[in-house]
């Protein structure tokens, strides 16, 4: 019985085993191997250069910027998307009718391809667009959206926040639904202000769902590529140069396959450690306040 | 229901509608500009003159030096996303069924390894995966676009959790009736997982449909390009013709929105379950 089960089990699991071998283990070893060579993606020969790629990487402005840009994105994108999804969830939550319909509507941006949303935003922010005309003529602001470092980072963060807001609001709404109405009624009787109600009741009870949203959005931050590639190419002056962008440029534009592999390994280690630390901090913060 | 409460509710709906309009405005902007007269594209919030010129230009080649294969790219996107998603679904169901319902030696090891791989930053695999595809002669082919994306660990994880919740009694009963594992999976377990299947399908299809980085690396020749890659390539060269690019954006966005809306009700039911 158990042997029969055993064979069937392995058979059913075999797609994963094959996939893990071909598309995970082999590339992983290959990546490590490449990172110690000076291979240029094309030529038949290469030499081992030891740790030179790694030394080079730590010194290069591209890698340094990627490291800091990721944290800048964390600081801008995560609060942006969390705040907007909480607002959407709070508003939709109180609707007795059509709640599902609204949630579906807010989810629609998630379906946008990064190429499309980048193109639309480029149009909305072009020099003669209504938005910029308004800013120039009414407020005297002439913003070069993709030409100044902070504005470019902000625009990219905005596009991605727009994409994920509805999806995260959906997660938060299910968190809201686990909060009973009785607790609010009790609070009403006690004469709690709306502000207190949010911080003392809603927020702590929402924390598990919020934790999910935070983890998801942090994961998204470490994988930003399409919008940056499409709109800024990592510029201006490396201001939006993410890990993915740096690796892509090095490997497939400059053909430095060995060097790019070293950067990919550094990026993976940095990502893994950062996400791990942030996660632990969030868990501690939640526990200390007794939310989770 | 007092008057004040009613008023508050109206106000809430008003805010919700305004917010929703702001959120989907980029889509509205895209559609309007794809139909707008060319000298009004990107000049007005709501264009006043409309024409079909952008679509004619896009699908007929217009005055472009080289007509681009937009329709062909559209079909490529469908073939690649469809095949990829189907493979991801089938493989996820099989593996998850083994992990959830078949006690065998080494199962926990596989389970742990999947978790390990899930938390592993995928960026490290990009270059060697590309080289691998090149070496086995799948560069610039459907296989190269589909195979590396034929499995989703997220889907395996979701299905495994769901299957674990299905009571053993169903499966035991079917076994006594002499049903094989495949029959049990297909006739009992899968029909019970309809709503979560919808959710997983939609997420996988959306993700595959909007993928740029991998498709950009693998698809090289004109007849292999997916819609996303083609649109991305035309950003610069078509810069002076934003109208057709808006039309292409509509072409790229509309199918996925239609598919999503068709399944929206089931999607919501499934989401309720997955988020618990």
């Amino acid at each position: 019985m158990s042997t029969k089960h055993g064979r069937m089990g392995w058979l059913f699991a075999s797609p994963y085993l094959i996939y893990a071998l071909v598309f995970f283990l082999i590339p992983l070893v290959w990546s490590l191997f490449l990172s110690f060579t000076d291979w240029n993606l094309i030529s038949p020969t290469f030499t081992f250069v030891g740790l030179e790629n790694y030394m080079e990487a730590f010194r290069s402005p591209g890698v340094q910027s990627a490291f800091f840009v990721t944290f800048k994105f964390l600081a801008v994108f995560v609060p942006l998307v969390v705040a907007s999804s909480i607002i959407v969830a709070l508003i939709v939550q109180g609707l007795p009718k059509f709640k599902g319909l609204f949630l579906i509507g807010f989810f629609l941006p998630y379906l946008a391809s990064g190429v499309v949303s980048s193109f639309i935003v480029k149009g909305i922010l072009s020099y003669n667009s209504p938005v910029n005309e308004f800013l120039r003529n009414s407020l005297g602001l002439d913003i070069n959206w993709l030409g100044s470092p902070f504005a470019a980072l902000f625009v990219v963060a905005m596009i991605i926040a727009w994409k994920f807001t509805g999806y995260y609001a959906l997660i938060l709404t299910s968190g809201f639904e686990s909060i009973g109405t009785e607790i609010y009624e009790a609070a009403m009787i006690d004469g709690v202000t709306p502000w207190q109600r949010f911080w003392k009741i809603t927020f702590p009870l929402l924390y598990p769902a919020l934790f999910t949203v935070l983890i998801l959005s942090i994961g998204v931050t470490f994988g930003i590529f399409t919008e940056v590639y499409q709109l800024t190419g990592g510029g201006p002056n490396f201001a939006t140069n993410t890990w993915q962008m740096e690796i892509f440029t090095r490997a497939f534009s400059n053909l430095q396959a060995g060097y790019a592999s070293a950067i990919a390994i550094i990026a993976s280690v940095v990502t893994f450690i950062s996400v791990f630390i942030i996660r632990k901090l969030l868990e501690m913060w939640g526990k200390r306040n007794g939310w989770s | 229901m007092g008057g004040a409460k009613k008023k508050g509710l109206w106000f809430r709906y008003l805010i919700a509608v305004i917010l929703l309009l702001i959120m989907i405005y980029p889509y509205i902007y895209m559609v309007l500009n794809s139909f707008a007269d060319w000298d009004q594209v990107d000049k007005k919030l709501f264009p006043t003159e409309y024409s079909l010129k952008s679509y004619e230009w896009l699908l007929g080649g217009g005055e472009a030096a080289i007509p681009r294969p937009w329709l062909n790219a559209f079909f490529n996107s469908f073939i690649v996303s469809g095949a990829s998603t189907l493979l991801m679904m089938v493989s996820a169901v099989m593996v998850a069924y083994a992990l959830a319902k078949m006690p065998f030696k080494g199962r926990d090891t596989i389970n742990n390894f999947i978790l390990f791989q899930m938390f592993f930053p995928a960026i490290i695999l990009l270059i060697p995966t590309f080289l691998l595809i090149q070496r086995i002669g799948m560069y610039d082919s459907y296989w190269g676009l589909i195979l590396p994306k034929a499995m989703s660990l997220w889907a395996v994880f979701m299905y495994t959790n769901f299957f674990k919740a299905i009571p053993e009694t169903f499966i035991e009963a079917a076994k006594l009736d002499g049903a094989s594992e495949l029959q049990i999976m297909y006739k009992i377990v899968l029909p019970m997982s309809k709503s979560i299947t919808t959710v997983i399908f939609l997420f996988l299809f959306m993700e595959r449909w909007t993928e740029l980085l991998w498709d950009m690396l693998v698809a090289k020749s004109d007849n292999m390009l997916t819609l996303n890659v083609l649109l991305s390539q035309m950003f610069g060269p078509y810069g002076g013709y934003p109208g057709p690019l808006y039309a292409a954006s509509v072409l790229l966005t509309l199918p996925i929105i239609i598919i999503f809306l068709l399944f929206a009700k089931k999607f919501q039911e499934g989401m309720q379950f997955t988020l618990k």
Side-chain angles (χ1 to χ4, degrees):
Chain A
M1 177 70 207
S2 72
T3 50
K4 185 168 153 269
H5 228 354
R7 240 181 317 179
M8 281 305 270
W10 282 98
L11 184 74
F12 271 60
S14 63
Y16 172 69
L17 301 172
I18 296 164
Y19 184 84
L21 176 72
V22 177
F23 291 112
F24 181 60
L25 289 174
I26 293 175
L28 198 60
V29 175
W30 203 338
S31 207
L32 276 166
F33 171 81
L34 278 177
S35 74
F36 299 114
T37 71
D38 67 348
W39 192 52
N40 68 2
L41 201 63
I42 295 168
S43 91
T45 57
F46 58 83
T47 43
F48 277 98
V49 292
L51 289 172
E52 217 170 285
N53 285 331
Y54 291 88
M55 300 306 209
E56 181 70 28
F58 284 119
R59 280 197 302 266
S60 87
V63 173
Q64 287 171 8
S65 67
F67 181 84
F68 290 112
V69 162
T70 309
F71 289 103
K72 282 182 197 159
F73 268 122
L74 275 178
V76 178
F77 164 69
V78 174
L80 204 64
V81 79
V82 168
S84 59
S85 56
I86 287 180
I87 290 169
V88 169
L90 273 174
I91 285 174
V92 173
Q93 187 46 31
L95 302 175
K97 274 203 190 109
F98 308 122
K99 194 161 111 182
L101 224 55
F102 273 106
L103 282 173
I104 294 284
F106 280 112
F107 189 85
L108 290 178
Y110 185 80
L111 308 174
S113 145
V115 186
V116 170
S117 50
S118 299
F119 179 65
I120 294 169
V121 166
K122 203 175 172 176
I124 290 179
L125 296 179
S126 64
Y127 185 80
N128 289 323
S129 74
V131 176
N132 282 327
E133 289 283 347
F134 170 80
L135 288 176
R136 265 198 304 275
N137 302 337
S138 312
L139 307 174
L141 288 170
D142 194 355
I143 304 170
N144 184 354
W145 288 100
L146 297 173
S148 53
F150 180 74
L153 187 109
F154 185 74
V155 167
V156 172
M158 274 285 279
I159 297 174
I160 304 170
W162 170 76
K163 180 184 167 100
F164 284 95
T165 292
Y167 172 28
Y168 295 166
L170 199 63
I171 296 172
L172 293 175
T173 318
S174 74
F176 272 124
E177 271 158 13
S178 61
I179 306 174
T181 47
E182 303 86 2
I183 190 161
Y184 284 124
E185 279 157 12
M188 285 267 280
I189 293 163
D190 290 341
V192 175
T193 63
W195 189 246
Q196 279 177 316
R197 193 177 64 188
F198 179 79
W199 285 114
K200 294 273 185 253
I201 302 171
T202 309
F203 187 78
L205 288 171
L206 197 61
Y207 189 77
L210 201 61
F211 182 78
T212 309
V213 168
L214 282 166
I215 295 295
L216 284 175
S217 59
I218 288 158
V220 166
T221 314
F222 280 91
I224 295 174
F225 172 76
T226 305
E227 292 80 3
V228 167
Y229 170 80
Q230 220 51 263
L231 284 175
T232 66
N237 194 14
F238 293 124
T240 54
N241 195 39
T242 59
W243 284 115
Q244 310 249 11
M245 191 68 217
E246 176 67 14
I247 292 159
F248 175 84
T249 313
R250 287 290 167 194
F252 301 103
S253 305
N254 306 5
L255 304 181
Q256 299 164 290
Y259 180 53
S261 294
I263 297 178
I265 286 166
I266 294 170
S268 300
V269 171
V270 168
T271 303
F272 189 83
I273 293 174
S274 308
V275 172
F276 185 79
I277 291 175
I278 296 169
R279 213 191 156 115
K280 277 277 163 277
L281 285 175
L282 278 174
E283 278 168 6
M284 272 162 54
W285 184 55
K287 272 207 177 65
R288 211 184 58 197
N289 289 301
W291 295 332
S292 45
Chain B
M1 268 308 225
K5 186 127 187 184
K6 257 214 168 84
K7 226 189 193 127
L9 211 55
W10 271 112
F11 186 65
R12 246 178 192 285
Y13 273 109
L14 185 71
I15 298 277
V17 168
I18 290 170
L19 207 59
L20 184 60
L21 283 175
I22 292 171
M23 281 299 279
I24 57 173
Y25 177 74
Y27 284 142
I28 300 169
Y29 185 89
M30 166 183 86
V31 173
L32 290 178
N33 273 300
S34 74
F35 288 109
D37 210 54
W38 280 19
D39 49 5
Q40 293 204 343
V41 174
D42 282 340
K43 302 279 192 299
K44 291 183 157 76
L45 284 181
F46 296 100
T48 47
E49 303 280 326
Y50 291 96
S51 77
L52 286 172
K53 195 175 167 191
S54 290
Y55 287 90
E56 283 163 11
W57 207 91
L58 185 79
L59 303 175
E63 61 236 54
I66 316 161
R68 306 298 296 159
W70 292 102
L71 271 180
N72 183 37
F74 184 77
F75 288 120
N76 285 346
S77 280
F78 257 109
I79 292 165
V80 168
S81 308
S84 244
T85 309
L86 190 71
L87 285 171
M88 285 193 265
M89 302 288 290
V90 171
S91 60
V93 168
M94 278 180 72
V95 176
Y97 185 77
L99 293 177
K101 291 288 171 218
M102 297 170 140
F104 64 93
K105 223 180 156 148
R107 185 170 76 162
D108 292 346
T109 316
I110 296 179
N111 223 339
N112 291 336
F113 199 80
I114 288 180
L115 285 177
F116 167 71
Q117 197 185 333
M118 263 178 96
F119 282 103
F120 210 92
I123 183 74
I124 204 169
L125 307 171
L126 182 70
I127 298 166
T129 308
F130 172 77
L131 296 173
L132 185 75
I133 289 297
Q134 218 177 19
R135 296 288 153 93
I136 52 182
M138 289 182 179
Y139 177 68
D140 202 21
S141 75
Y142 282 139
W143 289 116
L145 292 169
I146 293 166
L147 277 189
K149 304 219 169 260
M151 183 134 209
S152 158
L153 297 184
W154 172 80
V156 172
F157 182 76
M158 295 300 270
Y159 267 126
T160 307
N161 284 345
F162 187 87
F163 291 166
K164 273 182 184 159
I166 293 176
E168 288 292 338
T169 44
F170 286 99
I171 291 163
E172 295 301 330
K175 274 203 183 122
L176 288 177
D177 293 341
S180 70
E181 295 282 4
L182 258 178
Q183 281 173 319
I184 294 170
M185 194 172 84
Y186 187 74
K187 289 207 166 113
I188 296 169
V189 175
L190 269 185
M192 290 173 107
S193 338
K194 268 195 186 123
S195 60
I196 191 181
T197 296
T198 310
V199 170
I200 293 174
F201 164 78
L202 282 173
F203 270 106
L204 293 179
F205 193 84
M206 283 180 306
E207 220 163 280
R208 192 63 195 91
W209 181 262
T210 56
E211 168 77 34
L212 176 71
L213 180 53
W214 181 252
D215 295 9
M216 192 162 68
L217 293 178
V218 175
K220 263 288 160 289
S221 53
D222 270 4
N223 61 356
M224 279 315 303
L225 298 178
T226 57
L227 204 44
N228 235 333
V229 178
L230 184 53
L231 183 62
S232 165
Q233 280 185 2
M234 288 296 109
F235 239 70
Y238 272 39
Y241 300 102
L245 283 187
Y246 280 114
S249 302
V250 171
L251 213 58
L252 178 51
T253 314
L254 208 58
I256 193 100
I257 289 195
I258 290 172
I259 290 171
F260 175 73
L261 290 178
L262 283 176
F263 292 108
K265 189 125 191 65
K266 268 253 171 290
F267 174 79
Q268 265 209 303
E269 285 168 27
M271 276 305 263
Q272 296 305 342
F273 171 83
T274 43
L275 298 172
K276 285 218 161 49

